[in-house]
Every structure is written in structure tokens, then in C-alpha cells.
Amino acid sequence: MSQRINPIRGMKDFYGLDCSKYQYIVDTATQISARYGYQLIEIPIVENTEIFQRSLGDESDVVSKEMYSFIDKGGENITLRPEGTAGVMRAISSNGIFVNDNQPLKFMYYGPMFRYDRPQKGRYRQFHQIGFEHIGEKSPYTDVLSIALAVDILHEIGLADVCVHVNSLGGFDSRQLYTTELVKYFKKFENELSEDSKRRLLKNPLRILDSKDSRDCEINLNAPKIRNYLNEHDATYFQKVLDLLDLLDINYIVDQKLVRGLDYYTHTTFEFKTNSEQYSDALGGGGRYDGLLEMFGGSDVSGVGFALGVERLMMLIDYKPTVLLKVAIVAVSANEFDSAFMLNKELLDNSISCELITGGNNLKKRVELAVKRGCSLLLIIGNDELKDNSVTLTRVNDKDNRSVTIPRYSVVLRINELSQEFRHSH
Ligand code: AMP
């Protein structure tokens, strides 16, 4: 026997219930975000590597360790997208899509992302995100509308206990002042910091606050807090964000270590967590970014966005697929197969889910196959039915073993009635 072939480490196949769950989450997010004025954008899975290097920052874990980058056959350095924001900005610029503060753009995207990370529960090398970008309109209102959109989606799919972790990194001036203070503080512990954080101290000290290393975490405890370094404008902006979260009754905590991993964030940053004991990592996160679109040759407008990790949502939600009445068309003998085949097509054309049972070498076997496939209504065509243009309807698992023979022209109408009864009883 030939050897079983496994997928690439950290990547997995979705099928059956997982696919319905994935689709349900995407559909819910699409519907809710459409109400908020978002429209779908579909962008390539690969981009020039530079797109990510430029926007995420060389020091981010994503760029420095996790990118799937290749030289393609034409010698281009390309990367499987590790996130969606950079690609959306590139797309707006490439397509010359107009945006300014009075004419904002709201895009939703979804699909696979790739990071060469250490696989573990809720962490994969190919994973899926649903992302949202609201470009233009820099204000606390838009920040909080983004957060509210995420909370609405999470609530709708059944995650009631969402807590938003929120922080402000301030604008350029506040951030610079804070960074200077941070460097002074971390210099005192330079020899104790992890190797990664020693490097960050030179290149991007804010990212030390993001470290998972236990000694770094201890040092971080007493580090200066960003809120004390926000200038008046940035502090007022952040306070307004918090007030609006209160107005919407959104459950949040201010988490001053929340710098997020990527370089492009300014002002409000946020992540979504649940109180579930099953999983404590973030379900999604995002924040405001200034200058990102301009970096790709677009206009100088600010944006706010976030992404939700689909695998983590799939792990936590209690999803029950809608059960539909499933119909099987069964011919008694080979003589009736053509007629059964045509009835199957007629039902499909009338939007009825049905399956033509072609296996099994007698009626009993075909009925067994239909039951195995989860069909609960059998439409049987035998010699008699063929002769008088009728169909026999039999319910699976019907104690009273009721069968009725009805004219063929009335089958669609009858199945639609039975489908409704079935929906009400499930
Ligand atoms: P990030 O922008 O890196 O915070 O990612 C946003 C969300 O995507 C996270 O909160 C996760 O839900 C999800 N995510 C990020 N990386 C992975 C991964 N390697 N595997 C699964 N989900 C991920």
C-alpha cells in the first residue's frame, strides 16, 4: 500500500462540519459589516515581499521570522501574505481608488494567511482571517465603530463574553517622547533582557512590551506607562474612545502593554478576548494606522482596521448547522433510472436538495445507501410509477411506515410543504 501523504506542518484541511462553520462565520461577518457600509475586496494571496517589509517593519516578528518568502521563476521576491492590511492598501493605490476623509472606504476581506510560526493549539502556519479596513475619517467615533463591528460579529456567532483590550500608542510626538523614556528604563536592565529584546531596544523598543519572555515580562511590569506620555490631544482622543465604549456598553479593559506586533499602528490599538477557560489568546485585533496608504503611493489618510482569526472562532463557537429535509431519488430497477435522473434534475431546478442514488444493485441496497447519506424522504420510482406518471414518497424512520403515491406534477409542491414542516420541527 502506498504511504499516506500529510499536509505541510501547521496547515490543515477543512471539510464537512468545519466547512459549514467557516462559511457561517464568514457569512455572518459579511452581513453585519454590510450594515456598517463595508464591501468585499478580494486581493491576491501573494505580493511582492517589499509590500510587507515596508509596512509591517523589519523588526516585527512577522517580517523577521515568519514570512513565507520565495524567489519566483522570474526572479521576483514574493511572499505569501501574512496579513491583509498591507495588500488592501496596495490594492487601493494600484487601482487608483479615490479616498479622502469625506469619502471614506470600508473594505472587508477574508481568506488564508501564512506565517511560519510554531504550530500549537489555535496557531497554524496557514490560518484564515476576516479583516476590515475603514480608511478616511480619523476620529474616535470610527475607532469605536470598528470595535463595535467586531463585538457585534462575535456576539452574533455566540461569543457573549467578549472583552476588548484597548490602548493608545498616541500620535508621532507622544510616541517619540514615550519611546525615549522607555529606552532610558530598559537600558537599566539591558543585560537581563532576552536576546530578541536587546535587539528591539536598538530598533523598536516599544515591541519589548509585547515580549512573551518571562524575564522581559517581569521587567515590563514597572516600565513607564504610555498614558502618562500622551500629549493633550492624544489623551483627549483616547478618553473619547473610552467614553464611546462606555456609551455602547462594550466590555473593555485598558491594557497599556498592548502595542500589537506591527509597526504601523498609531493611536488606538485593540484586541478581542473571551473569558473562556478553553482559550486565552486573542481572537482578533487591530487599531488605527496613519500614513500606511501614503507609503504605497496613495493619499495621506488615516485608517482603522482589525482582523479576526477564523480558526480560533471555530474552536470556541457552539455551531449547529441548519438541518434541511434531504431527499433521495431511488429507482426500483434499471428500467426507471432515466426517469429518476430527470426527476432529480427537476427538483434541483426547483432549489430542492436531493440526491440521485445510483449505487446498490437492488431497491433494498439503494434505500440503505440513501439512509446512510442522511436522506429522510425517499422518492421511489418503480414500474407502476413509471406507467402512470407518479412517484411514491416514503419517510425514513417512520414508525407507521406511511407511503403515499402522488402524481409526478405535484411532487415539487408537496416537497416544499414537507420541507417547511421539517424546518418547524427541528
Ligand atoms: P494579529 O494581527 O497577528 O494579531 O492577528 C489577528 C488574529 O489572527 C489573531 O488574534 C488570531 O486570532 C489570528 N491569528 C494570527 N496568527 C495566527 C496563527 N498563526 N494561527 C491562527 N490564527 C492566527
Side-chain angles (χ1 to χ4, degrees), residues 115 117 122-124 127 129 260 282-285 307-309 312:
R115 296 184 193 175
D117 207 344
R123 192 169 294 281
Y124 306 96
F127 59 99
Q129 284 186 338
R260 310 262 308 135
L283 307 180
L308 300 172
R312 296 189 189 174

Side-chain angles (χ1 to χ4, degrees), residues 44-63:
I45 287 173
V46 281
E47 297 277 356
N48 282 313
T49 298
E50 196 199 345
I51 299 286
F52 303 110
Q53 281 170 335
R54 241 202 279 175
S55 57
L56 312 184
D58 284 337
E59 264 316 289
S60 64
D61 280 351
V62 173
V63 171

Side-chain angles (χ1 to χ4, degrees), residues 122-188:
R123 192 169 294 281
Y124 306 96
R125 289 182 174 174
Q126 175 174 330
F127 59 99
H128 298 76
Q129 284 186 338
I130 309 178
F132 305 85
E133 310 297 342
H134 180 155
I135 306 124
E137 294 189 303
K138 180 174 183 174
S139 88
Y141 293 97
T142 45
D143 294 7
V144 174
L145 276 171
S146 270
I147 295 174
L149 167 61
V151 171
D152 280 358
I153 295 170
L154 295 169
H155 282 178
E156 182 64 28
I157 61 173
L159 300 174
D161 62 346
V162 178
C163 180
V164 182
H165 290 229
V166 60
N167 190 23
S168 171
L169 301 178
F172 183 76
D173 294 343
S174 305
R175 198 164 156 166
Q176 250 199 344
L177 180 67
Y178 178 56
T179 308
T180 312
E181 287 309 307
L182 263 189
V183 171
K184 272 193 213 153
Y185 171 78
F186 285 127
K187 281 260 186 221
K188 291 191 276 187

Side-chain angles (χ1 to χ4, degrees), residues 157-220:
I157 61 173
L159 300 174
D161 62 346
V162 178
C163 180
V164 182
H165 290 229
V166 60
N167 190 23
S168 171
L169 301 178
F172 183 76
D173 294 343
S174 305
R175 198 164 156 166
Q176 250 199 344
L177 180 67
Y178 178 56
T179 308
T180 312
E181 287 309 307
L182 263 189
V183 171
K184 272 193 213 153
Y185 171 78
F186 285 127
K187 281 260 186 221
K188 291 191 276 187
F189 301 93
E190 196 167 356
N191 295 330
E192 296 167 56
L193 288 170
S194 67
E195 288 309 309
D196 273 347
S197 288
K198 279 183 191 143
R199 221 185 44 246
R200 291 173 184 139
L201 187 55
L202 295 173
K203 298 218 169 171
N204 189 350
L206 267 181
R207 297 237 25 252
I208 301 176
L209 296 173
D210 221 14
S211 172
K212 302 279 181 296
D213 178 272
S214 58
R215 183 63 191 130
D216 288 353
C217 287
E218 268 175 52
I219 298 170
N220 281 337

